[in-house]
Amino acid sequence: MTQLSMKDTLKLADGNQLPQEGFGVYKLTDQDVMDQVINTAIEAGYRLFDTAQLYENEDLLGNSLQASELTRDQYFITTKVAENNQGYDKTITSVQKSLDLLKTDYVDLLLVHWPIHTEFFETWRAFEDLKAQGLAKSIGVSNFHQTHLQYLATKAHEMPVVNQIELHPYFSQPTMRAFDVSQNIVTQAWSPLGRGLELNDDIINGIATKLGKSSAQVILRWEIQNGIAVIPKSANPKRVVENASIYDFELSDEEMAAINSLNKNQRTGHDPELVYEQAHQ
Ligand code: NAD
């Protein structure tokens, strides 16, 4: 087992490894809960932890990881620069603050949380410099459409290696995923469980019952088999373990096709194009 296993790792265009499954910590804002959930997640095998400046819990996550049994090279941290902190100088200053809060010298993956038209290129220039300084091992984006990536390419010296986007069976983004693949960008799904949206879907429930798995496990397995990275979140220890227990079964081609056909372009979150125009979420 590699040091950064969960269960498979994906190779990024910059040569670094990304654990395909990680753990999202959005809305975890209590230190005791964070400690308990992170310990459970580590025991269950998660090695990637996804936070953001906006979540206001980088310090809590940093405390929990520092107190854990893992050494720094055994876990992977993602954080994201908030819209208010975009722009060259503000990005640099805010990432230094994030590193202090996370109690680390570097993040494994730094993401632009949302594209905004006002600071679009300057933020990315700061990202390239932060990577050159070793403060971020890999740099990527979140919530970028194809047009945002194409626009970024007109000035970028290096392109994002990850695009973290909303993705779940009712919003499976086939066109965006194909574009990411064509650019050697790994697609990472946020809200991979649709925040619960598809857990009672008849097709997914039917497959889950047949396989003796939960709907959540079937959805995550569908994403993994589609080559997508996932960062499910739960504060419930039983579900944290359940969401990691998806490597002892496989979905057939027919089952994959049945879930692929569920797409309804149904978002649970903001439309990136509106955030880009308005320069905030
Ligand atoms: P999710 O799809 O992971 O759903 C989480 C919810 O699903 C939980 O609140 C829980 O109630 C339920 N759940 C989890 N496991 C379950 C199980 N096994 N059975 C039944 N219910 C279960 O949605 P999310 O929390 O919105 O997204 C996950 C992570 O993605 C976040 O924690 C965050 O790190 C990241 N995220 C990123 C962005 C972005 O803009 N980049 C936006 C939203 C979330």
Side-chain angles (χ1 to χ4, degrees):
M1 198 155 88
T2 62
Q3 286 199 315
L4 279 178
S5 181
M6 180 70 210
K7 166 82 169 178
D8 298 312
T9 55
L10 300 176
K11 190 164 185 195
L12 300 174
D14 60 13
N16 291 331
Q17 299 284 338
L18 178 85
Q20 191 172 4
E21 182 172 7
F23 188 75
V25 301
Y26 184 39
K27 292 194 175 157
L28 296 179
T29 52
D30 176 90
Q31 187 69 64
D32 288 341
V33 174
M34 183 73 89
D35 285 345
Q36 191 207 1
V37 168
I38 294 299
N39 278 333
T40 306
I42 288 171
E43 263 177 49
Y46 296 85
R47 292 295 179 267
L48 182 154
F49 301 93
D50 181 278
T51 183
Q53 292 171 350
L54 195 87
Y55 303 169
E56 296 184 340
N57 61 11
E58 289 171 309
D59 56 336
L60 305 187
L61 178 63
N63 291 337
S64 299
L65 289 171
Q66 205 176 39
S68 79
E69 64 195 24
L70 298 180
T71 55
R72 180 64 188 90
D73 60 339
Q74 291 176 314
Y75 57 85
F76 186 112
I77 305 180
T78 302
T79 197
K80 314 182 195 85
V81 172
E83 293 89 276
N84 283 346
N85 292 331
Q86 288 201 36
Y88 187 87
D89 290 339
K90 285 211 267 179
T91 294
I92 302 275
T93 309
S94 76
V95 170
Q96 275 156 351
K97 185 172 172 210
S98 289
L99 294 176
D100 287 347
L101 292 170
L102 286 162
K103 289 155 201 73
T104 181
D105 297 332
Y106 65 92
V107 285
D108 299 274
L109 179 61
L110 184 67
L111 301 177
V112 180
H113 205 146
W114 292 85
I116 55 172
H117 72 280
T118 45
E119 305 289 356
F120 192 73
F121 291 111
E122 283 300 278
T123 302
W124 190 250
R125 189 166 68 84
F127 270 50
E128 290 175 336
D129 287 352
L130 287 162
K131 178 166 180 272
Q133 291 162 24
L135 302 185
K137 299 284 184 204
S138 293
I139 51 176
V141 293
S142 180
N143 300 302
F144 272 43
H145 283 163
Q146 176 171 337
T147 46
H148 301 129
L149 288 169
Q150 288 169 322
Y151 190 38
L152 191 65
T154 63
K155 288 201 183 161
H157 296 99
E158 55 186 291
M159 285 297 284
V161 294
V162 169
N163 188 14
Q164 185 186 109
I165 55 174
E166 180 178 349
L167 198 160
H168 40 89
Y170 289 173
F171 191 59
S172 54
Q173 303 236 46
T175 311
M176 188 67 239
R177 271 158 52 200
F179 184 75
D180 283 346
V181 167
S182 77
Q183 304 299 303
N184 206 2
I185 296 171
V186 168
T187 302
Q188 190 179 46
W190 65 254
S191 293
L193 298 170
R195 295 180 172 155
L197 193 67
E198 293 98 338
L199 293 176
N200 293 319
D201 180 273
D202 286 345
I203 302 270
I204 293 171
N205 274 343
I207 295 170
T209 305
K210 192 177 117 203
L211 296 173
K213 299 289 170 187
S214 71
S215 294
Q217 288 173 317
V218 167
I219 293 171
L220 293 169
R221 185 71 212 177
W222 165 78
E223 284 151 352
I224 294 285
Q225 283 183 221
N226 269 323
I228 300 161
V230 293
I231 44 168
K233 178 236 155 180
S234 174
N236 173 330
K238 209 174 132 260
R239 289 175 173 175
V240 173
V241 173
E242 179 185 316
N243 294 345
S245 310
I246 55 171
Y247 301 98
D248 59 353
F249 71 106
E250 262 189 46
L251 300 175
S252 66
D253 291 348
E254 293 77 37
E255 288 160 346
M256 289 295 289
I259 304 175
N260 285 339
S261 73
L262 295 177
N263 184 31
K264 307 180 191 180
N265 296 317
Q266 188 174 346
R267 287 183 191 280
T268 66
H270 297 287
D271 181 342
E273 199 48 48
L274 288 180
V275 177
Y276 178 80
E277 291 291 337
Q278 294 164 1
H280 63 81
Q281 283 186 62

